[in-house]
Amino acid sequence: MQPTAYQQLVSVFTRIYRFEHLAAMVGWDQAAMMPPEGNDARGAALAELDVLIHHSLTDPALAATIAAASSEDLNEAEQASLREMKRQWEHANLLPASLVEAKTLAGSKCSHEWRTQRANNDWDGFLANFREVVRLSREEAQLLSQHSGLSPYEALMNKYEPGMTCAELDRIFGDVKQWLPELIQQAMTKQSKEPVIAAQGPFAIESQRALGLEVMKLLGFNFAAGRLDVSHHPFCGGVAEDVRITTRYTEDDFTQSMMGIVHETGHARYEQNLPRDLVHLPVGRARSMAVHESQSLSFEMQLGRSPAFLALIQPLVQQHLGEQAAFSASNLAKIYTRVKPDFIRVDADELTYPAHVILRYEIERALIDGDIEPDEIPALWNQKMLAYLGVDTQGNFKNGCLQDIHWTDGSFGYFPSYTLGAMYAAQFFATIRSQFPDLDQRIAAGDLAPIFDWLKTHIWTPASRWETAELIQRATGESLNPAHFRQHLEQRYLG
Amino acid sequence: MQPTAYQQLVSVFTRIYRFEHLAAMVGWDQAAMMPPEGNDARGAALAELDVLIHHSLTDPALAATIAAASSEDLNEAEQASLREMKRQWEHANLLPASLVEAKTLAGSKCSHEWRTQRANNDWDGFLANFREVVRLSREEAQLLSQHSGLSPYEALMNKYEPGMTCAELDRIFGDVKQWLPELIQQAMTKQSKEPVIAAQGPFAIESQRALGLEVMKLLGFNFAAGRLDVSHHPFCGGVAEDVRITTRYTEDDFTQSMMGIVHETGHARYEQNLPRDLVHLPVGRARSMAVHESQSLSFEMQLGRSPAFLALIQPLVQQHLGEQAAFSASNLAKIYTRVKPDFIRVDADELTYPAHVILRYEIERALIDGDIEPDEIPALWNQKMLAYLGVDTQGNFKNGCLQDIHWTDGSFGYFPSYTLGAMYAAQFFATIRSQFPDLDQRIAAGDLAPIFDWLKTHIWTPASRWETAELIQRATGESLNPAHFRQHLEQRYLG
């Protein structure tokens, strides 16, 4: 029997998934294992694979197969699967190969030189490469915008967060800007009267790793389908069947490596619990970047930094790192909720983090929509850092607008995902708490099943079956509602 | 300007090399890193990559390009490069895809079930799968034989050892069979009067690893282009630009992990010193399996088990594993040259190893040429083990004819490479010693440059520039001469 058009698409996308498996594994290896001299050959092999995947998705024959599948008698699950295939196919086919290649080259050059330029606080040097990245990103945004009817910036953002609009983001972030600065001030005033005891290092790397592995176990990481290793920038890589998370250790501070592991374990459990029978198809994979981040932040912010969870793991901390006054449950909770406005986004606390994201959203949106030019960024950056966090970054490009890698390779539109993820996570936990009013007691007693079961049912198993808005509605009974985020922060930092 | 046909071939083979890079790295990962649940997805991804590489090599357009390149005005180096491209291309195109697939499937099933069958000493169960592997391997041998004019077994052997004939092997192995059994007896008699002190474990894995890393450093392993990890079966994997070697540790014995590392480091230095500007083409890669093995055995047998080298590393052994009587240089030399005929090839000492190989060569050749059937193997195995080593394997399939993986997936023709490699290594060292009569004093003093420089000039840098026979002739001034091997063994075991 002739395979149906939909079945043919399943074959095509299964093949692509296998290539993506290779890319994911050697990508992980590059960050976690590869010695330096392997880099050129690795880069060439990965680029060849990119070309291959792009060719598979831009095969002219695919258009007819997709059209034919669209008029086949598909059940609801297959229709959802086809929708996700089309999304991936459309995106690959909207941009001419010449533009994709030019942007990759410009982004790669800009990223590579940025590492040195950032260290040297060299904004002018950076600008020379960055103008081209912006020019090509605007071109990309225009092409995507023409097809979708979205604004240019929205079109880029939809690569990471399909369905999100600037109108909604403006509403959400506008609201946050109303109450966040005052909340930060109130929290700092409150905390200034609550001294925190700093943990005294050094903490042996092996002990930190052993602690991390125990915490992963507690959090349900499946070690038969994943690993923990080390990389310069922590990440969650690999494939659903074999998830590779990384952290980084410094001997004088265990808090970052441990909470980094909690964060990546959230990403990992999402991947490990995607539906195995669908994971080779787009519909069986993670819904979006913000939903992915909602899982890591459910683990890190909602669960991991809660007093109940820190009380639960406090004996493990002592067991692996020795006993000291700083390791009381209440002091650990203080360490992990300390608020301090500062320069660097990735080191920011839960409360000041959204300010970093909103600042970037506002600047990158204006940049892509053509309202500002690249050379206006530092002044805007400084002005917004002063306004939102009271931090002066004038002349300090290194710890100001040169701190992130995202813009260097043209990944405009990604930043909002971080704070959207934090908001989804707060909304999920509000729902879980409404079903389990004694959640904190359960957490403290080691019963994390209510959380994992809920996430599995409502987020992990559905994967990309529904558009994000419908996923959130089905899971929580309402659409994205940032009030839960505010409530969570007020409760944790003023409560 | 239009690229020449030769330049087009360079592009094709460069692309294939990049795919092989991916296969090598995820293959290494599968053996050294991958958690068990990742295996199915990994297998599917690797199979997809195999298909892709096979398609690239069997693209019908390649025939015309190769023909055109053959009549272009190529320099000598390009002619050699074209010769090696043609070899790879011909091999891929001689066999119908249906046969390749059938053999892969039958081999994969037979290999997989062999793991259990071997443990259960289940020869009959094995035979049920193995008949099909033999049938398909004979079919492959027939097809390759028709094209090359070689005998069926020779045609298979030429996949691993191009240019080698059964006539030459019969001459060489026939000679070994004349003197080896008596030499083994004499060595055992001599050693029975020379007691050896056994090293007393346990030896912490971390200490064994630290010792191994120091020995690798001493042997010139380039850690900026490679790594040491752990796998169940030690191997040298990865790519020339990023060589991954593995070993395995047991706490009660450090001798195997350490000498395993020396062995794999020999493979690794060959790979790391292939000409980087040619390594993306067949001509820039290792000459053959026997030549590869000659490098690991140059390191392990010629250098590694020599009294001079063991005297050199003796302080390192003590430094990492503590002081004990067994760690005197002279006792280490005794440990590493102890002769004991036994069942298992991979655990065999230097002197009895060739007997294991000759036995397998004789049986597999008769099997492929149709002189015997699979069910006759155990009786033949027992008869030859008794004759060559005095070891009775009757009914002991597990430690007899079921011990190796090679036949289970149809890798007939590989075994001779091991002993050919040992012979090449002996011949190389005879040449080096003739140029450096004080070689042992130099080794003991840590001056290994004479060895590395010679290997680099004569073996590593030439890569596949010449056919094996010419490589050996150029390097040593004579063709393969097993007298050097005999002389080396007599000197080490009776001297």
Side-chain angles (χ1 to χ4, degrees), chain B residues 36-89:
Chain B
E37 288 183 28
N39 199 50
D40 288 351
R42 180 64 49 86
L46 271 167
E48 197 69 60
L49 196 54
D50 277 350
V51 169
L52 184 71
I53 292 170
H54 190 73
H55 274 191
S56 307
L57 278 170
T58 54
D59 178 350
L62 261 188
T65 316
I66 286 180
S70 304
S71 53
E72 282 175 351
D73 186 22
L74 304 179
N75 65 30
E76 210 191 332
E78 291 165 338
Q79 285 172 29
S81 175
L82 180 60
R83 179 194 71 221
E84 296 302 317
M85 288 173 176
K86 272 169 90 167
R87 192 197 309 283
Q88 213 171 310
W89 172 76

Side-chain angles (χ1 to χ4, degrees), chain A residues 124-184:
Chain A
D124 289 339
F126 177 75
L127 204 53
N129 293 327
F130 184 57
R131 287 187 205 279
E132 180 66 3
V133 174
V134 172
R135 190 183 71 76
L136 293 164
S137 298
R138 284 174 174 170
E139 204 177 315
E140 179 189 6
Q142 280 299 337
L143 285 169
L144 297 177
S145 161
Q146 280 162 23
H147 176 265
S148 60
L150 301 170
S151 80
Y153 177 77
E154 272 175 339
L156 289 188
M157 181 174 60
N158 269 252
K159 287 162 56 178
Y160 310 106
E161 211 44 41
M164 182 54 63
T165 64
C166 283
E168 188 168 4
L169 266 189
D170 285 344
R171 182 178 63 76
I172 293 167
F173 286 171
D175 174 58
V176 172
K177 284 166 73 174
Q178 293 297 315
W179 49 261
L180 187 65
E182 197 187 331
L183 179 53
I184 292 171

Side-chain angles (χ1 to χ4, degrees), chain A residues 251-451:
Chain A
E251 287 216 327
D252 53 336
D253 180 22
F254 76 95
T255 60
Q256 292 214 2
S257 73
M258 192 184 78
M259 203 48 79
I261 286 172
V262 172
H263 181 98
E264 301 306 336
T265 301
H267 284 305
R269 289 217 65 192
Y270 188 15
E271 289 289 322
Q272 289 186 328
N273 288 281
L274 290 168
R276 281 278 172 100
D277 59 330
L278 285 177
V279 86
H280 58 293
L281 300 178
V283 75
R285 294 214 284 284
R287 175 60 271 182
S288 74
M289 288 303 120
V291 174
H292 226 310
E293 196 70 12
S294 79
Q295 298 311 292
S296 54
L297 294 176
S298 285
F299 275 57
E300 179 190 347
M301 297 299 177
Q302 295 297 322
L303 175 61
R305 292 179 192 252
S306 73
F309 183 77
L310 291 163
L312 171 65
I313 65 164
Q314 187 262 344
L316 291 176
V317 173
Q318 283 201 340
Q319 180 191 324
H320 289 281
L321 306 180
E323 298 199 11
Q324 50 177 283
F327 294 165
S328 73
S330 63
N331 192 68
L332 283 176
K334 282 185 197 164
I335 288 175
Y336 277 118
T337 51
R338 211 66 185 175
V339 177
K340 186 173 180 301
D342 216 331
F343 293 102
I344 305 296
R345 176 184 57 86
V346 295
D347 296 335
D349 57 82
E350 183 180 18
L351 206 48
T352 58
Y353 199 105
H356 290 277
V357 168
I358 292 171
L359 170 153
R360 284 156 178 77
Y361 161 65
E362 292 172 344
I363 294 177
E364 70 179 11
R365 179 179 167 187
L367 191 65
I368 292 301
D369 288 350
D371 299 334
I372 62 165
E373 290 306 315
D375 58 6
E376 298 172 64
I377 291 177
L380 256 178
W381 191 283
N382 189 46
Q383 175 198 322
K384 286 177 189 288
M385 278 300 282
L386 280 170
Y388 302 164
L389 292 172
V391 172
D392 186 348
T393 65
Q394 205 168 354
N396 190 347
F397 308 110
K398 180 178 171 174
N399 297 320
C401 58
L402 280 184
Q403 71 183 266
D404 297 304
I405 196 173
H406 304 59
W407 290 350
T408 70
D409 70 352
S411 298
F412 297 104
Y414 190 101
F415 280 119
S417 307
Y418 294 115
T419 292
L420 291 173
M423 289 173 170
Y424 288 138
Q427 188 162 336
F428 299 158
F429 266 70
T431 306
I432 298 170
R433 283 182 188 282
S434 74
Q435 290 167 20
F436 296 90
D438 60 343
L439 191 68
D440 285 319
Q441 292 93 303
R442 285 173 179 257
I443 292 171
D447 176 14
L448 307 178
I451 298 166

Side-chain angles (χ1 to χ4, degrees), chain A residues 14-15 17-19 21-23 25-26 28-29 32-39 41-46 48-49 52 222-227 229 239 241-244 276, chain B residues 14-15 17-19 21-23 25-26 28-29 32-39 41-46 48-49 52 222-227 229 239 241-244 276:
Chain A
T14 301
R15 184 163 177 265
Y17 181 61
R18 290 174 183 158
F19 294 143
H21 173 118
L22 300 171
M25 299 317 305
V26 303
W28 165 84
D29 182 272
M33 294 285 151
M34 191 188 71
E37 288 183 27
N39 199 49
R42 181 63 50 87
L46 270 168
E48 196 69 62
L49 197 54
L52 184 71
N222 175 5
F223 285 94
R227 293 175 53 96
D229 294 278
V239 292
E241 303 93 334
D242 180 1
V243 176
R244 308 288 173 98
R276 281 278 172 100
Chain B
T14 301
R15 184 162 178 265
Y17 182 62
R18 289 173 184 159
F19 294 143
H21 173 119
L22 300 170
M25 299 318 305
V26 302
W28 165 84
D29 183 272
M33 295 284 151
M34 190 188 72
E37 288 183 28
N39 199 50
R42 180 64 49 86
L46 271 167
E48 197 69 60
L49 196 54
L52 184 71
N222 176 5
F223 285 95
R227 294 176 51 96
D229 294 278
V239 292
E241 302 94 334
D242 180 0
V243 177
R244 308 289 174 98
R276 281 279 172 99

